Amino acid sequence: MANYKLLKRLERSIYLIKNLPGISKGEILERLRNDYDQEISDRTLERDFEILKTDFGLEIQYDRSKRGYVLDDDPERIATFFKFAELSSLAEIYETGLKDYKTFQKWVIPDDSSGFNGLQNMKPILKAITLAQKIRFTKMNFFHDDSKEYIVSPFRLKEYLNRWYLIAVPDGMEEIRTFGLDRIRNVHILKKKGTKFKNIEIQLNQFREVVGLTYSLEPLQKIVLKVTNEQIKYLRSLPLHHSQVCFDNYYKDGWGRVNYELKPNYEFMAEILKLGASAVILDPLALREKITEQITLMHKLYD
């Protein structure tokens, strides 16, 4: 994992340049000193820019028209870096806290510490993705208590339910697979360029059309839920999917409506079942029937 202090400094520099495009080097140094009490030299800042480029694929360039620095990158890559910095900070706090647990437990109530497992793999994987190089690692199989070595072309890191997954194509295959970072060991970047696939972007885009990790090539569906107005508040604060649209008081007696446009999979059905008596699927009928079947089976178990 990247040095915590360095990572925080990189994060602050990116934040300044992202929000103040055209900021000068002197202004960056001044803001770091005044706003964050971080005194660094001109040369150190140049090294930071190089680290951002080589390790994280974020390129900071001098724009002559603006007479300052700009961040030449796409929003998704920037968001990924900020998420990585956030998780690294949490991991640092968690690990430091373990050294003084009596103090730590006064501050933090970790719901599931396993969420920190595998974070050390993020830096080499992100670097390999940036450089378009293959990686080799060992995947642990917890069910069969064995392991298997993989060589893959890595493409993305995806978060789901506070855990991180590598999206990659193993050698000898043409379809993407997902690997939980908490099950990966001994990550090595190989001096081999990752395999290029013509339809890889099509495959990757499937994840935008589902909840979680299970995707398919089926058409998108419009899904309509009748949801209590109280539950809509929680859905609005923590959406199940980026296509979610909420309507308060759409129906009478304290019920609203929530629309989605996605491919319903196991993870989405599980999220709907979590809502219990606060939500009901109105459309499509086939999905409503699947949920009904699950509820019937659950009822038999408790009957």
Side-chain angles (χ1 to χ4, degrees):
M1 186 180 294
N3 177 276
Y4 172 68
K5 292 182 179 179
L6 169 61
L7 194 56
K8 291 303 293 183
R9 191 170 73 238
L10 297 177
E11 182 183 14
R12 289 161 181 165
S13 294
I14 288 180
Y15 179 82
L16 290 172
I17 298 170
K18 179 177 180 291
N19 290 280
L20 299 169
I23 187 172
S24 68
K25 189 180 295 183
E27 288 171 329
I28 295 172
L29 295 173
E30 183 180 357
R31 291 291 295 269
L32 288 174
R33 180 173 59 253
N34 295 335
D35 296 354
Y36 303 108
D37 194 26
Q38 214 159 34
E39 186 84 41
I40 64 170
S41 67
D42 184 289
R43 186 175 179 181
T44 298
L45 185 62
E46 286 288 348
R47 283 202 300 266
D48 288 354
F49 289 174
E50 188 62 29
I51 290 171
L52 285 168
K53 180 180 179 179
T54 57
D55 287 11
F56 299 100
L58 295 171
E59 190 163 3
I60 295 171
Q61 297 180 336
Y62 183 81
D63 189 316
R64 293 183 181 277
S65 64
K66 291 185 171 63
R67 296 184 179 181
Y69 288 89
V70 295
L71 185 59
D72 183 22
D73 214 292
D74 63 275
E76 183 178 347
R77 192 182 293 270
I78 296 170
T80 299
F81 172 81
F82 278 129
K83 189 65 179 181
F84 173 63
E86 175 193 346
L87 289 172
S88 297
S89 298
L90 288 173
E92 179 76 13
I93 292 170
Y94 187 76
E95 291 174 1
T96 303
L98 288 179
K99 298 173 185 176
D100 184 14
Y101 189 73
K102 289 183 179 180
T103 303
F104 177 67
Q105 64 182 346
K106 294 179 183 178
W107 305 334
V108 180
I109 304 175
D111 180 54
D112 182 3
S113 61
S114 64
F116 294 98
N117 293 340
L119 292 186
Q120 72 278 3
N121 293 322
M122 294 188 88
K123 182 178 178 180
I125 290 175
L126 280 173
K127 185 173 183 179
I129 292 173
T130 302
L131 299 175
Q133 290 182 317
K134 293 185 179 183
I135 58 174
R136 182 181 67 242
F137 59 81
T138 302
K139 179 194 174 187
M140 311 303 295
N141 189 318
F142 297 156
F143 293 102
H144 300 292
D145 195 25
D146 60 8
S147 61
K148 181 178 179 180
E149 186 173 275
Y150 284 88
I151 294 177
V152 305
S153 298
F155 291 100
R156 296 287 191 277
L157 285 171
K158 178 177 174 61
E159 183 187 16
Y160 180 61
L161 295 180
N162 296 322
R163 282 180 169 79
W164 282 88
Y165 298 84
L166 165 65
I167 301 174
V169 177
D171 276 10
M173 298 179 63
E174 294 189 0
E175 293 186 354
I176 54 178
R177 295 273 304 275
T178 55
F179 302 88
L181 261 60
D182 59 327
R183 300 188 181 188
I184 290 176
R185 305 287 187 274
N186 306 318
V187 178
H188 295 285
I189 301 176
L190 305 179
K191 293 182 179 180
K192 297 180 180 179
K193 282 294 181 182
T195 304
K196 294 182 179 180
F197 298 93
K198 292 181 180 179
N199 67 340
I200 193 65
E201 288 300 327
I202 295 175
Q203 292 190 57
L204 291 172
N205 285 336
Q206 300 300 320
F207 285 105
R208 286 189 53 79
E209 299 173 347
V210 298
V211 172
L213 304 168
T214 308
Y215 72 93
S216 72
L217 297 177
E218 295 180 0
L220 286 170
Q221 296 185 38
K222 183 177 180 180
I223 298 166
V224 179
L225 270 66
K226 184 178 179 182
V227 184
T228 63
N229 288 328
E230 187 66 28
Q231 185 62 54
I232 282 181
K233 296 177 183 177
Y234 294 100
L235 286 175
R236 187 174 277 120
S237 65
L238 192 63
L240 298 183
H241 188 258
H242 64 83
S243 67
Q244 175 179 291
V245 181
C246 300
F247 303 92
D248 300 272
N249 297 306
Y250 191 90
Y251 305 100
K252 295 180 180 179
D253 303 325
W255 288 79
R257 172 171 170 159
V258 180
N259 293 346
Y260 297 96
E261 189 169 359
L262 50 73
K263 298 177 180 180
N265 57 0
Y266 171 82
E267 289 93 333
F268 179 71
M269 290 177 60
E271 292 295 335
I272 298 303
L273 288 169
K274 285 181 185 179
L275 298 177
S278 297
V280 58
I281 291 181
L282 299 182
D283 196 57
L285 182 60
L287 181 60
R288 179 185 172 97
E289 291 175 346
K290 285 183 179 180
I291 294 291
T292 302
E293 290 174 4
Q294 290 297 312
I295 295 172
T296 302
L297 290 172
M298 292 169 61
H299 183 264
K300 287 182 179 179
L301 290 175
Y302 285 91
D303 190 5

